[in-house]
Amino acid sequence: MEARIEKEHVGKKPDHVLRVYADITELVAGPENPTPLVRLNRITESRDFQIYLKLERYNPFGSVKDRIAYQMLKELEVGERTVVEPSSGNTGIALVCLANAWGLAVEVAVPQRIPEEKKVMLRFLGAKKVWEADDSLCPRFPSEGARGLVDALVRSPATRDKYVSPNQYENELNVQAHYCTTGPEIWRQTHGEISYFFAGLGTCGTIVGAGRYLKEQNPEIKVIGVEPAASEHRLPGMKRLKGLAPEYIPKILDSSVIDDTVEVSDEEAYQTAVELARREGIPAGPTTGAILHAALNYARSHQGLAVVISPDDAFKYTSFYRDYLEGKAEESRFEDRK
Amino acid sequence: MSASYECDVSDLICPLSKLRATEAINNLAAGDTVRIILGDMESVKSVVQELKGRGMKPDFKQEGESRFILTVTRE
């Protein structure tokens, strides 16, 4: 006899009330199943500038990248080839999880400097291969060895028939995923009252896709991009676009969507992430700290309702946070001695 | 006794060619020689740069338009 759970939930539209799903991929966020929007109450004292965090860690594979990985992989003609993608971890993790659910093979090229936790996750999930690329590996992609490596795999005569890449830097589905899901979610969740949207600059899919949707609903909404203050940084997934030659700027970037760009240092980002955890009880990754830092600065001189993208959680960065906190402890010991 | 190897990566573009060439260089014992065959100038520049960083000076030869040979011996 067929179980009632099978009859009522398999092959049907996902039930986001009872939360019974036919497979894990149905949990990827969308307007019917949005990631949470959580108000910040103690980290900011401003009553005129309310900040809400969009917690993308509540996607099934743990980050904002689940949305784009789902869209890109669903539309990719893989055939017998292996999927390969450069990633600072989150896109790779999402792609491997989706590929496992759909019976595909994925290789991921990661920069050496990403946290060990993410590399372990990729191996744990069974990525067919995890390439580690030094940032200076490829002269064609200065400071982005992983991107160069994947480009070589999909273009070399010896390997090009074996690999296919979603290529999040150039794939318009990266933008579309956010235009069709993140943007509408935020618009509905704020009842159209959002006035500022903050997101990090990396591949630029989130800021362009969600930002474009929000501006189409209300052209007065200001879209603020956040980038690392230095090209060498510890904010995986973020990219400093300032000073980059045009050929290295992500092709999907539409600058007309962005009203302002704010630079944030590692110190500011990590300190804000620590404060977010300790004052609000929200354990988020360092890029959340960076984006939130920019919003908190805006809070000093602006009024309105702000939504800040929180790309992922703190747990994939414990080694980075350990280094930061140990550094702080050292400083404090030094201060004590003075 | 020293040995001589060939590493044909002419069908790989940079940085894949550089990665494979580097593996071949790493596997050399003292006195061993490797002929690295590359298919484009970008790969040549990249591998030469890697060799220079290790204090190794390769012999360079071009055969036709897209066949470049670097020969290097590990001291």
Side-chain angles (χ1 to χ4, degrees):
Chain A
M1 196 182 82
E2 192 181 15
R4 193 167 162 198
I5 191 172
E6 291 283 313
K7 269 195 247 171
E8 294 195 2
H9 298 285
V10 177
K12 305 274 167 60
K13 205 173 160 209
D15 183 340
H16 296 300
V17 177
L18 287 178
R19 295 180 66 82
V20 177
Y21 297 97
D23 73 57
I24 190 71
T25 66
E26 289 187 349
L27 270 90
V28 175
E32 304 303 319
N33 178 37
T35 52
L37 203 58
V38 177
R39 196 173 95 139
L40 301 186
N41 301 296
R42 301 185 65 228
I43 199 168
T44 171
E45 288 164 6
S46 172
R47 289 169 187 235
D48 298 326
F49 195 84
Q50 290 173 333
I51 300 176
Y52 283 78
L53 268 192
K54 180 96 172 131
L55 295 179
E56 290 295 295
R57 62 178 280 206
Y58 284 90
N59 273 293
F61 316 122
S63 84
V64 67
K65 296 293 190 175
D66 294 12
R67 298 172 187 267
I68 69 157
Y70 177 78
Q71 288 298 331
M72 293 190 306
L73 198 55
K74 198 173 70 165
E75 300 297 326
L76 196 65
E77 287 182 25
V78 179
E80 298 299 310
R81 293 174 293 182
T82 294
V83 176
V84 65
E85 183 71 0
S87 166
S88 53
N90 284 337
T91 305
I93 288 168
L95 282 172
V96 177
C97 287
L98 288 162
N100 289 346
W102 293 338
L104 301 170
V106 176
E107 296 183 12
V108 184
V110 298
Q112 276 174 345
R113 61 185 153 77
I114 69 164
E116 234 9 76
E117 294 89 326
K118 285 183 169 178
K119 296 175 194 170
V120 172
M121 276 305 294
L122 287 166
R123 286 193 281 271
F124 163 76
L125 291 166
K128 191 174 160 194
K129 181 163 182 161
V130 181
W131 302 79
E132 283 191 42
D134 187 273
D135 281 345
S136 60
L137 178 66
C138 180
R140 290 182 300 114
F141 289 86
S143 81
E144 285 185 286
R147 211 171 146 193
L149 186 61
V150 170
D151 181 71
L153 283 166
V154 296
R155 292 205 304 122
S156 290
T159 53
R160 64 187 171 207
D161 294 336
K162 297 172 191 159
Y163 287 100
V164 60
S165 176
N167 194 352
Q168 57 181 323
Y169 289 91
E170 298 183 16
N171 193 330
E172 199 54 38
L173 289 171
N174 182 350
V175 173
Q176 279 303 310
H178 292 291
Y179 181 86
C180 295
T181 68
T182 320
E185 285 173 36
I186 292 170
W187 182 251
R188 283 173 63 175
Q189 287 173 312
T190 60
H191 304 281
E193 291 176 352
I194 175 176
S195 35
Y196 294 91
F197 174 61
F198 291 82
L201 301 180
T203 66
C204 299
T206 309
I207 197 159
V208 172
R212 182 180 291 156
Y213 178 88
L214 292 169
K215 275 183 174 287
E216 282 175 6
Q217 311 313 305
N218 176 6
E220 297 302 311
I221 293 172
K222 300 295 180 206
V223 175
I224 320 298
V226 180
E227 67 177 359
S231 47
E232 294 281 316
H233 59 83
R234 273 198 142 190
L235 300 169
M238 272 191 163
K239 183 194 277 287
R240 181 172 167 81
L241 300 182
K242 201 165 287 171
L244 276 187
E247 61 265 37
Y248 305 124
I249 303 276
K251 287 197 169 49
I252 58 173
L253 171 63
D254 174 2
S255 302
S256 69
V257 173
I258 303 172
D259 295 288
D260 188 14
T261 303
V262 178
E263 295 180 18
V264 176
S265 70
D266 284 3
E267 168 65 28
E268 291 164 335
Y270 278 73
Q271 186 54 39
T272 306
V274 168
E275 284 176 24
L276 178 66
R278 294 181 182 179
R279 293 198 194 178
E280 303 278 352
I282 300 174
T287 53
T288 300
I291 305 166
L292 178 57
H293 180 80
L296 290 170
N297 276 347
Y298 256 70
R300 295 193 184 121
S301 53
H302 296 77
Q303 295 183 343
L305 192 156
V307 172
V308 169
I309 291 288
S310 171
D312 60 7
D313 63 41
F315 307 110
K316 281 174 277 193
Y317 304 94
T318 51
S319 60
F320 278 22
Y321 281 133
R322 179 200 57 210
D323 293 348
Y324 177 74
L325 294 169
E326 283 177 359
K328 282 277 146 197
E330 283 300 313
E331 272 176 33
S332 128
R333 272 197 286 277
F334 181 71
E335 290 296 319
D336 288 346
R337 282 199 296 269
K338 279 207 281 195
Chain B
M1 204 175 79
S2 58
S4 186
Y5 300 98
E6 185 166 287
C7 171
D8 187 348
V9 288
S10 57
D11 51 2
L12 296 174
I13 63 173
C14 182
L16 213 45
S17 50
K18 177 185 168 182
L19 273 184
R20 295 279 155 79
T22 304
E23 280 169 17
I25 296 160
N26 288 342
N27 288 334
L28 292 179
D32 286 355
T33 298
V34 63
R35 286 178 81 234
I36 303 166
I37 303 165
L38 300 154
D40 61 275
M41 270 313 284
E42 215 157 44
S43 294
V44 174
K45 280 183 204 162
S46 201
V47 175
V48 167
Q49 193 182 21
E50 174 70 25
L51 290 168
K52 272 188 183 166
R54 293 163 179 246
M56 299 167 107
K57 201 177 168 203
D59 286 330
F60 173 75
K61 200 165 95 177
Q62 181 169 359
E63 291 180 352
E65 266 187 23
S66 56
R67 192 175 160 87
F68 309 92
I69 301 167
L70 295 172
T71 306
V72 62
T73 301
R74 184 156 201 158
E75 289 182 3

